[in-house]
Amino acid sequence: MALMDFIKKQFIDIIQWTESGDGTLAWRFPMAEMEIQNGASLTVRESQVAVFVNEGQVADVFGPGMYKLTTQTLPVLTYLKNWDKLFESPFKTDVYFFSTRQQIDQKWGTPQPITIRDKDFGAVRLRAFGNYSFRIGDAKRFHTEISGTRDIYSVADLDGQLRGLVLQNISNAIAASGVPFLDLAANQIQFATALAAQLVPEFEKIGIKLENITVQNVSLPEELQKILDQKIGMGMVGNDMGKFMQYQTAQAIPKFAEGSGNGGGGIAGDAMGLGAGVALGQVLAQNLSQGLNPNNNVGAAAAAAASAPVVAVVSAADVMTTLEKLGELKTKGILTQEEFDAKKADLLKKLV
């Protein structure tokens, strides 16, 4: 009985793979010294592909289904083994199973800032991170290019290679997209789309299909982040420079008002600074508009010219004199702090 069991174990009549966990991409069926007999059953489950390899050369590839192994179902192997008419049983070959399930939530990121080139800003250093998902798209190519004859090939084994491809192609993706870098940084979905377009052919070279990639965060140098914040602020007011400068001036008023408790000199300086700041703001607005919207230079110049007369009629000197007198009254106790603050707020509003 023991001898019969031994003989029976030498021949394989069922070939299948049941995945025991996540993360396995390729698995070699354990042949040892055993051989496959004529008419053996091959079971390939959904999300699997089976590949027969004869003496290092890929033969037949099977998708999901149940197969009876004959000369009809193994045409390439039949040719390689010179089985003209008869199926020589038993026979020995290597059988590899590949998981075609999506491998999700794979992380990518820049461990150090990377340098990219942008037509508007030249060299830019940035950090970014996100995740992606992939699957085996071409089992034959993946076997010949990556997994080879290993018994098991896992996602962890491939992780470093795929991360490297992502980082290597970030700069190329931005350049190939033709979209200014700041626009990509402000729209992470557009950034991910540009990156995916660059990565898909690179992944296909090793038999991998990129299913999805996300950009979850982009960190810019402080100078570029300020420009991006200004551009976003302009977008919130419909690129109307007049409204944008009103918003900027309103943000600056509390800073000028902080010096009210230092006597007349501080108030006078704040008033003069605010008056000059409003005029200077028009010039800065025009320059900012030209930098962020080069196609609208003419319109921005016209808007600045139209608003210039409004600034000219504001008399900072009159406001300064009035504030000095109010400051003296407050110092002598004639005006309360609340009354002084109310009058000061009314006067400052006239400068906007």
Side-chain angles (χ1 to χ4, degrees):
M1 185 67 179
L3 178 61
M4 294 301 298
D5 291 340
F6 174 78
I7 295 175
K8 185 176 181 180
K9 289 180 181 179
Q10 304 308 300
F11 303 101
I12 300 172
D13 56 3
I14 298 177
I15 302 174
Q16 62 180 345
W17 176 38
T18 303
E19 298 180 58
S20 58
D22 295 329
T24 301
L25 295 175
W27 178 78
R28 181 167 66 177
F29 187 85
M31 298 293 294
E33 299 300 324
M34 298 183 290
E35 296 180 334
I36 302 172
Q37 66 180 0
N38 183 19
S41 173
L42 170 67
T43 300
V44 183
R45 292 174 170 80
E46 291 291 339
S47 73
Q48 291 182 354
V49 169
V51 175
F52 280 68
V53 179
N54 179 65
E55 297 178 356
Q57 186 173 358
V58 175
D60 300 279
V61 180
F62 296 86
M66 295 187 64
Y67 305 89
K68 184 178 181 180
L69 301 180
T70 65
T71 54
Q72 286 73 33
T73 56
L74 293 168
V76 179
L77 189 62
T78 297
Y79 172 78
L80 293 177
K81 288 186 172 292
N82 297 317
W83 293 333
D84 295 331
K85 296 180 180 180
L86 298 177
F87 190 109
E88 295 185 10
S89 180
F91 70 96
K92 187 173 180 63
T93 187
D94 292 321
V95 182
Y96 295 88
F97 284 86
F98 297 86
S99 173
T100 58
R101 292 189 295 125
Q102 277 200 57
Q103 307 298 326
I104 63 173
D105 197 26
Q106 305 301 307
K107 308 295 185 182
W108 70 269
T110 54
Q112 300 294 331
I114 62 173
T115 302
I116 65 169
R117 292 200 171 274
D118 181 72
K119 62 181 181 181
D120 294 331
F121 299 100
V124 177
R125 291 173 63 80
L126 65 85
R127 290 175 179 268
F129 66 83
N131 62 9
Y132 65 96
S133 61
F134 72 91
R135 71 171 80 235
I136 293 179
D138 187 336
K140 180 178 179 180
R141 178 173 294 180
F142 184 80
H143 171 77
T144 56
E145 297 291 337
I146 301 296
S147 60
T149 60
R150 290 179 54 172
D151 291 337
I152 296 178
Y153 198 92
S154 68
V155 172
D157 295 324
L158 191 62
D159 180 67
Q161 174 68 17
L162 297 185
R163 288 193 190 200
L165 285 175
V166 174
L167 300 183
Q168 177 183 331
N169 284 276
I170 289 179
S171 181
N172 294 338
I174 294 174
S177 70
V179 179
F181 171 72
L182 279 185
D183 291 340
L184 288 177
N187 189 333
Q188 295 176 358
I189 295 179
Q190 190 176 18
F191 196 167
T193 300
L195 186 55
Q198 190 72 23
L199 287 174
V200 165
E202 297 298 324
F203 278 37
E204 288 179 347
K205 292 178 181 179
I206 57 175
I208 295 296
K209 180 181 179 182
L210 178 66
E211 291 291 346
N212 181 52
I213 187 167
T214 67
V215 178
Q216 298 176 347
N217 180 270
V218 178
S219 299
L220 306 178
E222 183 178 355
E223 297 78 7
L224 272 185
Q225 187 63 54
K226 290 180 180 178
I227 296 176
L228 179 59
D229 291 341
Q230 290 176 332
K231 189 169 185 179
I232 293 174
M234 289 182 62
M236 293 174 64
V237 296
N239 290 322
D240 186 322
M241 289 306 302
K243 292 182 179 179
F244 181 70
M245 287 312 302
Q246 289 178 5
Y247 169 77
Q248 292 286 73
T249 305
Q251 293 293 100
I253 287 176
K255 296 182 180 179
F256 288 115
E258 289 175 358
S260 61
N262 298 327
I267 298 172
D270 288 347
M272 293 180 65
L274 182 57
V278 173
L280 180 60
Q282 300 295 332
V283 179
L284 293 177
Q286 181 178 355
N287 293 337
L288 182 60
S289 177
Q290 292 174 353
L292 297 178
N293 299 282
N295 296 327
N296 297 330
N297 290 345
V298 175
S307 59
V310 177
V311 178
V313 299
V314 177
S315 174
D318 292 342
V319 174
M320 175 190 70
T321 302
T322 303
L323 285 174
E324 287 179 333
K325 292 180 180 180
L326 291 174
E328 293 176 359
L329 294 174
K330 181 176 72 71
T331 302
K332 294 178 180 180
I334 298 175
L335 289 179
T336 65
Q337 181 67 45
E338 290 76 12
E339 291 172 334
F340 173 79
D341 290 340
K343 292 292 184 181
K344 180 185 67 175
D346 291 339
L347 289 170
L348 293 177
K349 288 180 181 178
K350 295 179 180 180
L351 292 176
V352 180

PDB file of all heavy atoms in Angstrom, residues 292-317:
ATOM      1  N   LEU A 292       0.762  87.113 -12.672  1.00  0.00           N
ATOM      2  CA  LEU A 292      -0.104  85.945 -12.562  1.00  0.00           C
ATOM      3  C   LEU A 292      -0.999  85.758 -13.772  1.00  0.00           C
ATOM      4  O   LEU A 292      -1.447  84.659 -14.056  1.00  0.00           O
ATOM      5  CB  LEU A 292      -0.967  86.061 -11.304  1.00  0.00           C
ATOM      6  CG  LEU A 292      -0.201  86.067  -9.985  1.00  0.00           C
ATOM      7  CD1 LEU A 292      -1.173  86.228  -8.825  1.00  0.00           C
ATOM      8  CD2 LEU A 292       0.620  84.815  -9.814  1.00  0.00           C
ATOM      9  N   ASN A 293      -1.306  86.846 -14.472  1.00  0.00           N
ATOM     10  CA  ASN A 293      -2.174  86.764 -15.645  1.00  0.00           C
ATOM     11  C   ASN A 293      -1.540  87.547 -16.790  1.00  0.00           C
ATOM     12  O   ASN A 293      -1.968  88.662 -17.120  1.00  0.00           O
ATOM     13  CB  ASN A 293      -3.570  87.337 -15.347  1.00  0.00           C
ATOM     14  CG  ASN A 293      -4.267  86.575 -14.251  1.00  0.00           C
ATOM     15  OD1 ASN A 293      -4.793  85.497 -14.489  1.00  0.00           O
ATOM     16  ND2 ASN A 293      -4.279  87.133 -13.041  1.00  0.00           N
ATOM     17  N   PRO A 294      -0.480  87.017 -17.429  1.00  0.00           N
ATOM     18  CA  PRO A 294       0.241  87.749 -18.456  1.00  0.00           C
ATOM     19  C   PRO A 294      -0.621  88.122 -19.642  1.00  0.00           C
ATOM     20  O   PRO A 294      -0.316  89.058 -20.364  1.00  0.00           O
ATOM     21  CB  PRO A 294       1.360  86.769 -18.857  1.00  0.00           C
ATOM     22  CG  PRO A 294       0.879  85.444 -18.411  1.00  0.00           C
ATOM     23  CD  PRO A 294       0.060  85.703 -17.194  1.00  0.00           C
ATOM     24  N   ASN A 295      -1.723  87.412 -19.874  1.00  0.00           N
ATOM     25  CA  ASN A 295      -2.568  87.716 -21.027  1.00  0.00           C
ATOM     26  C   ASN A 295      -3.510  88.882 -20.754  1.00  0.00           C
ATOM     27  O   ASN A 295      -4.209  89.342 -21.651  1.00  0.00           O
ATOM     28  CB  ASN A 295      -3.382  86.487 -21.418  1.00  0.00           C
ATOM     29  CG  ASN A 295      -2.500  85.354 -21.888  1.00  0.00           C
ATOM     30  OD1 ASN A 295      -1.454  85.599 -22.478  1.00  0.00           O
ATOM     31  ND2 ASN A 295      -2.913  84.122 -21.627  1.00  0.00           N
ATOM     32  N   ASN A 296      -3.559  89.326 -19.499  1.00  0.00           N
ATOM     33  CA  ASN A 296      -4.493  90.392 -19.150  1.00  0.00           C
ATOM     34  C   ASN A 296      -3.771  91.680 -18.772  1.00  0.00           C
ATOM     35  O   ASN A 296      -4.263  92.484 -17.996  1.00  0.00           O
ATOM     36  CB  ASN A 296      -5.380  89.951 -17.977  1.00  0.00           C
ATOM     37  CG  ASN A 296      -6.237  88.763 -18.356  1.00  0.00           C
ATOM     38  OD1 ASN A 296      -6.604  88.607 -19.514  1.00  0.00           O
ATOM     39  ND2 ASN A 296      -6.550  87.925 -17.375  1.00  0.00           N
ATOM     40  N   ASN A 297      -2.533  91.885 -19.290  1.00  0.00           N
ATOM     41  CA  ASN A 297      -1.753  93.057 -18.919  1.00  0.00           C
ATOM     42  C   ASN A 297      -2.462  94.356 -19.268  1.00  0.00           C
ATOM     43  O   ASN A 297      -2.450  95.314 -18.512  1.00  0.00           O
ATOM     44  CB  ASN A 297      -0.391  93.019 -19.614  1.00  0.00           C
ATOM     45  CG  ASN A 297       0.487  91.924 -19.033  1.00  0.00           C
ATOM     46  OD1 ASN A 297       0.186  91.403 -17.968  1.00  0.00           O
ATOM     47  ND2 ASN A 297       1.555  91.566 -19.728  1.00  0.00           N
ATOM     48  N   VAL A 298      -3.072  94.388 -20.450  1.00  0.00           N
ATOM     49  CA  VAL A 298      -3.715  95.623 -20.901  1.00  0.00           C
ATOM     50  C   VAL A 298      -4.890  95.955 -19.994  1.00  0.00           C
ATOM     51  O   VAL A 298      -5.067  97.087 -19.554  1.00  0.00           O
ATOM     52  CB  VAL A 298      -4.182  95.465 -22.367  1.00  0.00           C
ATOM     53  CG1 VAL A 298      -4.952  96.712 -22.800  1.00  0.00           C
ATOM     54  CG2 VAL A 298      -2.986  95.227 -23.273  1.00  0.00           C
ATOM     55  N   GLY A 299      -5.699  94.943 -19.680  1.00  0.00           N
ATOM     56  CA  GLY A 299      -6.854  95.171 -18.820  1.00  0.00           C
ATOM     57  C   GLY A 299      -6.451  95.602 -17.428  1.00  0.00           C
ATOM     58  O   GLY A 299      -7.069  96.477 -16.822  1.00  0.00           O
ATOM     59  N   ALA A 300      -5.379  95.010 -16.880  1.00  0.00           N
ATOM     60  CA  ALA A 300      -4.919  95.367 -15.540  1.00  0.00           C
ATOM     61  C   ALA A 300      -4.415  96.790 -15.508  1.00  0.00           C
ATOM     62  O   ALA A 300      -4.644  97.539 -14.554  1.00  0.00           O
ATOM     63  CB  ALA A 300      -3.827  94.399 -15.087  1.00  0.00           C
ATOM     64  N   ALA A 301      -3.673  97.211 -16.559  1.00  0.00           N
ATOM     65  CA  ALA A 301      -3.160  98.578 -16.614  1.00  0.00           C
ATOM     66  C   ALA A 301      -4.296  99.573 -16.668  1.00  0.00           C
ATOM     67  O   ALA A 301      -4.269 100.625 -16.031  1.00  0.00           O
ATOM     68  CB  ALA A 301      -2.237  98.737 -17.819  1.00  0.00           C
ATOM     69  N   ALA A 302      -5.330  99.233 -17.456  1.00  0.00           N
ATOM     70  CA  ALA A 302      -6.479 100.130 -17.561  1.00  0.00           C
ATOM     71  C   ALA A 302      -7.198 100.248 -16.224  1.00  0.00           C
ATOM     72  O   ALA A 302      -7.634 101.332 -15.825  1.00  0.00           O
ATOM     73  CB  ALA A 302      -7.438  99.627 -18.641  1.00  0.00           C
ATOM     74  N   ALA A 303      -7.330  99.126 -15.512  1.00  0.00           N
ATOM     75  CA  ALA A 303      -7.995  99.159 -14.206  1.00  0.00           C
ATOM     76  C   ALA A 303      -7.225 100.003 -13.217  1.00  0.00           C
ATOM     77  O   ALA A 303      -7.795 100.780 -12.452  1.00  0.00           O
ATOM     78  CB  ALA A 303      -8.171  97.738 -13.679  1.00  0.00           C
ATOM     79  N   ALA A 304      -5.896  99.904 -13.235  1.00  0.00           N
ATOM     80  CA  ALA A 304      -5.077 100.700 -12.319  1.00  0.00           C
ATOM     81  C   ALA A 304      -5.176 102.175 -12.648  1.00  0.00           C
ATOM     82  O   ALA A 304      -5.244 103.032 -11.773  1.00  0.00           O
ATOM     83  CB  ALA A 304      -3.619 100.235 -12.382  1.00  0.00           C
ATOM     84  N   ALA A 305      -5.184 102.493 -13.959  1.00  0.00           N
ATOM     85  CA  ALA A 305      -5.279 103.889 -14.371  1.00  0.00           C
ATOM     86  C   ALA A 305      -6.622 104.478 -13.973  1.00  0.00           C
ATOM     87  O   ALA A 305      -6.729 105.630 -13.557  1.00  0.00           O
ATOM     88  CB  ALA A 305      -5.068 103.995 -15.877  1.00  0.00           C
ATOM     89  N   ALA A 306      -7.698 103.662 -14.117  1.00  0.00           N
ATOM     90  CA  ALA A 306      -9.032 104.153 -13.788  1.00  0.00           C
ATOM     91  C   ALA A 306      -9.192 104.418 -12.303  1.00  0.00           C
ATOM     92  O   ALA A 306      -9.913 105.315 -11.890  1.00  0.00           O
ATOM     93  CB  ALA A 306     -10.083 103.146 -14.261  1.00  0.00           C
ATOM     94  N   SER A 307      -8.505 103.627 -11.476  1.00  0.00           N
ATOM     95  CA  SER A 307      -8.659 103.795 -10.040  1.00  0.00           C
ATOM     96  C   SER A 307      -7.717 104.841  -9.456  1.00  0.00           C
ATOM     97  O   SER A 307      -7.872 105.243  -8.313  1.00  0.00           O
ATOM     98  CB  SER A 307      -8.433 102.465  -9.329  1.00  0.00           C
ATOM     99  OG  SER A 307      -7.135 102.000  -9.624  1.00  0.00           O
ATOM    100  N   ALA A 308      -6.704 105.304 -10.212  1.00  0.00           N
ATOM    101  CA  ALA A 308      -5.725 106.257  -9.694  1.00  0.00           C
ATOM    102  C   ALA A 308      -6.346 107.556  -9.225  1.00  0.00           C
ATOM    103  O   ALA A 308      -5.990 108.078  -8.169  1.00  0.00           O
ATOM    104  CB  ALA A 308      -4.643 106.519 -10.745  1.00  0.00           C
ATOM    105  N   PRO A 309      -7.296 108.184  -9.956  1.00  0.00           N
ATOM    106  CA  PRO A 309      -7.877 109.451  -9.475  1.00  0.00           C
ATOM    107  C   PRO A 309      -8.526 109.328  -8.110  1.00  0.00           C
ATOM    108  O   PRO A 309      -8.525 110.278  -7.348  1.00  0.00           O
ATOM    109  CB  PRO A 309      -8.911 109.787 -10.561  1.00  0.00           C
ATOM    110  CG  PRO A 309      -8.408 109.083 -11.782  1.00  0.00           C
ATOM    111  CD  PRO A 309      -7.792 107.833 -11.279  1.00  0.00           C
ATOM    112  N   VAL A 310      -9.098 108.146  -7.775  1.00  0.00           N
ATOM    113  CA  VAL A 310      -9.741 107.972  -6.474  1.00  0.00           C
ATOM    114  C   VAL A 310      -8.731 108.138  -5.355  1.00  0.00           C
ATOM    115  O   VAL A 310      -9.002 108.759  -4.325  1.00  0.00           O
ATOM    116  CB  VAL A 310     -10.417 106.581  -6.406  1.00  0.00           C
ATOM    117  CG1 VAL A 310     -11.011 106.378  -5.028  1.00  0.00           C
ATOM    118  CG2 VAL A 310     -11.464 106.461  -7.492  1.00  0.00           C
ATOM    119  N   VAL A 311      -7.520 107.616  -5.549  1.00  0.00           N
ATOM    120  CA  VAL A 311      -6.479 107.744  -4.536  1.00  0.00           C
ATOM    121  C   VAL A 311      -6.026 109.184  -4.403  1.00  0.00           C
ATOM    122  O   VAL A 311      -5.701 109.669  -3.333  1.00  0.00           O
ATOM    123  CB  VAL A 311      -5.292 106.827  -4.889  1.00  0.00           C
ATOM    124  CG1 VAL A 311      -4.177 106.982  -3.877  1.00  0.00           C
ATOM    125  CG2 VAL A 311      -5.770 105.387  -4.963  1.00  0.00           C
ATOM    126  N   ALA A 312      -6.018 109.939  -5.532  1.00  0.00           N
ATOM    127  CA  ALA A 312      -5.478 111.292  -5.522  1.00  0.00           C
ATOM    128  C   ALA A 312      -6.307 112.243  -4.666  1.00  0.00           C
ATOM    129  O   ALA A 312      -5.790 113.204  -4.116  1.00  0.00           O
ATOM    130  CB  ALA A 312      -5.400 111.826  -6.951  1.00  0.00           C
ATOM    131  N   VAL A 313      -7.596 112.016  -4.511  1.00  0.00           N
ATOM    132  CA  VAL A 313      -8.449 112.944  -3.785  1.00  0.00           C
ATOM    133  C   VAL A 313      -8.413 112.690  -2.272  1.00  0.00           C
ATOM    134  O   VAL A 313      -8.968 113.451  -1.510  1.00  0.00           O
ATOM    135  CB  VAL A 313      -9.911 112.843  -4.293  1.00  0.00           C
ATOM    136  CG1 VAL A 313      -9.996 113.194  -5.760  1.00  0.00           C
ATOM    137  CG2 VAL A 313     -10.461 111.450  -4.025  1.00  0.00           C
ATOM    138  N   VAL A 314      -7.816 111.596  -1.853  1.00  0.00           N
ATOM    139  CA  VAL A 314      -7.722 111.297  -0.426  1.00  0.00           C
ATOM    140  C   VAL A 314      -6.586 112.127   0.177  1.00  0.00           C
ATOM    141  O   VAL A 314      -5.454 112.078  -0.309  1.00  0.00           O
ATOM    142  CB  VAL A 314      -7.470 109.799  -0.198  1.00  0.00           C
ATOM    143  CG1 VAL A 314      -7.294 109.523   1.289  1.00  0.00           C
ATOM    144  CG2 VAL A 314      -8.623 109.003  -0.761  1.00  0.00           C
ATOM    145  N   SER A 315      -6.877 112.850   1.216  1.00  0.00           N
ATOM    146  CA  SER A 315      -5.866 113.692   1.865  1.00  0.00           C
ATOM    147  C   SER A 315      -5.417 113.038   3.161  1.00  0.00           C
ATOM    148  O   SER A 315      -6.124 113.078   4.175  1.00  0.00           O
ATOM    149  CB  SER A 315      -6.432 115.095   2.144  1.00  0.00           C
ATOM    150  OG  SER A 315      -5.495 115.851   2.882  1.00  0.00           O
ATOM    151  N   ALA A 316      -4.277 112.413   3.104  1.00  0.00           N
ATOM    152  CA  ALA A 316      -3.731 111.775   4.300  1.00  0.00           C
ATOM    153  C   ALA A 316      -3.330 112.813   5.340  1.00  0.00           C
ATOM    154  O   ALA A 316      -3.395 112.570   6.557  1.00  0.00           O
ATOM    155  CB  ALA A 316      -2.535 110.907   3.923  1.00  0.00           C
ATOM    156  N   ALA A 317      -2.921 114.007   4.861  1.00  0.00           N
ATOM    157  CA  ALA A 317      -2.489 115.048   5.796  1.00  0.00           C
ATOM    158  C   ALA A 317      -3.648 115.511   6.677  1.00  0.00           C
ATOM    159  O   ALA A 317      -3.480 115.733   7.890  1.00  0.00           O
ATOM    160  CB  ALA A 317      -1.913 116.228   5.019  1.00  0.00           C
TER     161      ALA A 317
END
